[in-house]
Amino acid sequence: MSQWTATRVILALELRLVTKTHFFTYRLAQVKHISNHEIINIFIVYVYIINNIPLGYLMLCILLGNVMVGSHQPIKANETLSAEGILSDEYFGGSVAVSDINNDGSMDMIIGASGGDGIYILFLDTDMTCVSFQKITTADSTSSIFSSADAHSTAALGDLDGDSVNDVMIGTPFDYDGGSRAGAIYILFLAQNGTYTSYQKISDLDGDFTYDLAASEYFGSSCSLLGDLNGDSVVDIAVGAYGKDDGGYYYGAVYILFLKTDGNCLSAQKISSESGDFTSTSFTSYAYFGYSCGGLGDMNGDLTPDAVIGTPGEDEVYIVFLVPNGTVLSLQKIGSSSGGLTATLDDGDYFGAACNSAGDVNGDGLGDLMTGASLDDDGSTDSGALYILFLDQNGWTISHQKISAVEGDFTAELWSGNNNGAQFGSACVLGDMNGDGIPDLVVGAHATYDSGADENDLGTVYVIFISQSFGKNINILYIYIYNIS
């Protein structure tokens, strides 16, 4: 009978020195993690000698480094849009999306100003200089498609109508179709100069949307591209309605919309505490489920896109694993006492005010998540914060990195002239903004103050360039060598 013996060996080697030796072939697989205030992953390497006779196994206990801010570039409302006469309470950066609209190979920004009267499309160089911008407020010279304070959420759609120009969607939760503040979204089909050639409204009355929307549902409070959920080669989207009263007062809901190429709905599926096989029953009044939402790609490897949904009234987010009809296969709640998160969240931090995919920041082949906590008090009241959550395939948090006025080497001043903070983390999205092949973080702080203009709540969007990723900072703490005898 074989017996196992173990020897602990302390090494100061890089992983490549172990795995690239010519004596062995190997297979590397992550099997579990340990979280005791340190970020430790356990890997098994199956080792063979040249004639393929098993020699033994190596168990590597690896401590991974932190993600830090290398540099950042602010895009300030009053400087970038000076010709518009930006005023107090514009809330520029309340929502943000990125897409190459003019097909020049550089990412452009679509920025919502929820206290203003529209959205701004910024055409950027890779150094974040704004070459030009286009403001969208009206369908023609006389009629408005969304009124003041309506452009609350934005998301990139890709090229929905097949004209080789990327399109966008805008959430307008204060729209009156179906009742006061029932809400709506607009699919905008764009030209390369940022104007739109046509649009499709989706609301209680338009767009072949079959659910009834009542007053104060705030449909369009968030919106996000999911991908092709039902396999018809047309992208599908998620739309939040945080005022929906399913199960309780302002519990909230998210609608999965299956789109046609003309922007109308093919069908829809509601996800709430009462619908869509969503099994969480922990909501309380003013949970605001659906205040934010984001597409995560295929997290669990079942070839179906998944989503994240923010519930800032509870300081939580939900990883929602979807099936092709838009209902929920399973879910993972992440908060101060759930989902593996070890961060200390205070009541009212508004964790989940924004949420989106962070790509694979740590290079482990699994998707990561970024979540805004726009009322976090690091540095000053309501200065805000962004959390990067490193997830496993089931949506469990392996580790996290906070970026705020006092953490993550972020040096921006996150405060507002009305003695409140900038509300950094009011929006977040991922994009390679400087064209170096490494995704960057684009984060809204819609309540920043400008001392030169002496205006409150103008808003700023920060492009954050990460200095390193987990996959490039591997330290082997020790190795257990198991021999077969």
Side-chain angles (χ1 to χ4, degrees):
M1 180 180 294
S2 295
Q3 288 185 321
W4 289 88
T5 59
T7 303
R8 174 167 168 159
V9 182
I10 307 296
L11 295 177
L13 298 174
E14 291 186 7
L15 184 60
R16 65 172 181 268
L17 297 181
V18 175
T19 59
K20 290 188 176 181
T21 173
H22 68 280
F23 291 108
F24 306 114
T25 59
Y26 67 93
R27 184 160 66 99
L28 184 65
Q30 185 173 8
V31 293
K32 65 177 296 185
H33 76 275
I34 299 175
S35 181
N36 294 317
H37 305 293
E38 288 186 325
I39 307 158
I40 300 177
N41 289 294
I42 297 178
F43 296 82
I44 301 295
V45 182
Y46 300 87
V47 184
Y48 302 87
I49 61 175
I50 293 176
N51 63 5
N52 228 28
I53 299 174
L55 172 68
Y57 301 82
L58 301 181
M59 184 170 72
L60 286 71
C61 298
I62 298 176
L63 176 66
L64 302 178
N66 291 327
V67 167
M68 295 293 181
V69 174
S71 62
H72 72 273
Q73 178 65 51
I75 298 176
K76 299 181 179 181
N78 68 304
E79 295 177 359
T80 305
L81 309 174
S82 57
E84 290 294 311
I86 300 296
L87 301 175
S88 291
D89 303 322
E90 186 81 359
Y91 292 109
F92 176 84
S95 61
V96 62
V98 297
S99 181
D100 182 7
I101 301 298
N102 58 1
N103 290 326
D104 66 350
S106 296
M107 283 292 186
D108 308 309
M109 283 191 192
I110 306 97
I111 300 176
S114 58
D117 58 355
I119 65 166
Y120 297 89
I121 297 178
L122 275 56
F123 298 100
L124 303 173
D125 277 339
T126 55
D127 64 357
M128 300 302 100
T129 300
C130 181
V131 178
S132 61
F133 67 88
Q134 176 65 51
K135 185 177 182 180
I136 297 178
T137 57
T138 59
D140 53 47
S141 60
T142 59
S143 63
S144 174
I145 62 169
F146 34 83
S147 62
S148 178
D150 257 358
H152 189 81
S153 62
T154 59
L157 270 178
D159 181 14
L160 182 61
D161 60 352
D163 66 350
S164 299
V165 181
N166 289 334
D167 306 310
V168 301
M169 56 181 161
I170 310 299
T172 60
F174 296 93
D175 191 277
Y176 273 53
D177 278 8
S180 174
R181 302 179 179 181
I185 65 166
Y186 289 82
I187 307 296
L188 303 185
F189 299 100
L190 298 180
Q192 287 190 14
N193 64 359
T195 60
Y196 60 92
T197 58
S198 62
Y199 68 90
Q200 176 61 55
K201 184 179 183 180
I202 299 176
S203 69
D204 186 75
L205 303 179
D206 286 306
D208 296 332
F209 185 63
T210 56
Y211 282 95
D212 292 328
L213 298 175
S216 298
E217 286 198 22
Y218 299 100
F219 177 79
S221 52
S222 62
C223 58
S224 179
L225 176 68
L226 294 179
D228 181 12
L229 193 63
N230 60 353
D232 65 353
S233 300
V234 182
V235 296
D236 307 308
I237 62 175
V239 180
Y242 70 78
K244 186 70 176 178
D245 288 338
D246 275 16
Y249 195 59
Y250 278 78
Y251 274 23
V254 167
Y255 295 86
I256 307 299
L257 274 56
F258 300 95
L259 295 181
K260 301 176 184 178
T261 56
D262 62 2
N264 284 290
C265 283
L266 175 67
S267 61
Q269 173 63 54
K270 182 173 67 174
I271 298 174
S272 71
S273 63
E274 296 181 341
S275 302
D277 295 332
F278 185 77
T279 57
S280 178
T281 58
S282 63
F283 291 163
T284 59
S285 295
Y286 301 102
Y288 295 149
F289 177 76
Y291 189 91
S292 64
C293 63
L296 291 178
D298 179 15
M299 284 283 295
N300 58 352
D302 66 353
L303 305 181
T304 302
D306 304 309
V308 57
I309 301 171
T311 312
E314 307 279 353
D315 289 308
E316 295 169 345
V317 297
Y318 286 83
I319 306 295
V320 179
F321 300 99
L322 299 173
V323 295
N325 66 2
T327 58
V328 177
L329 173 67
S330 61
L331 59 88
Q332 176 62 63
K333 180 172 71 172
I334 300 175
S336 59
S337 59
S338 57
L341 183 64
T342 59
T344 299
L345 299 176
D346 296 325
D347 288 343
D349 275 353
Y350 238 50
F351 179 83
C355 56
N356 224 320
S357 170
D360 180 15
V361 181
N362 60 354
D364 64 355
L366 301 174
D368 303 315
L369 171 68
M370 54 181 161
T371 301
S374 59
L375 302 185
D376 186 280
D377 293 334
D378 274 10
S380 63
T381 302
D382 296 345
S383 60
L386 184 77
Y387 288 86
I388 309 298
L389 307 184
F390 303 97
L391 306 177
D392 69 12
Q393 198 171 33
N394 299 313
W396 187 266
T397 305
I398 298 172
S399 60
H400 74 274
Q401 174 65 53
K402 185 179 184 180
I403 299 174
S404 69
V406 300
E407 292 195 45
D409 288 347
F410 189 52
T411 58
E413 289 189 357
L414 300 178
W415 66 287
S416 181
N418 56 8
N419 296 319
N420 290 319
Q423 297 185 28
F424 176 76
S426 55
C428 59
V429 72
L430 190 73
D432 180 13
M433 302 306 297
N434 59 358
D436 64 355
I438 301 173
D440 309 305
L441 309 179
V442 182
V443 186
H446 67 177
T448 52
Y449 169 73
D450 184 82
S451 57
D454 194 24
E455 299 285 358
N456 295 323
D457 301 331
L458 289 174
T460 300
V461 172
Y462 293 93
V463 180
I464 298 175
F465 306 102
I466 298 299
S467 62
Q468 63 189 31
S469 70
F470 276 60
K472 296 179 181 179
N473 190 36
I474 296 176
N475 301 299
I476 297 179
L477 297 183
Y478 49 84
I479 296 178
Y480 284 102
I481 299 178
Y482 291 89
N483 295 313
I484 301 175
S485 60

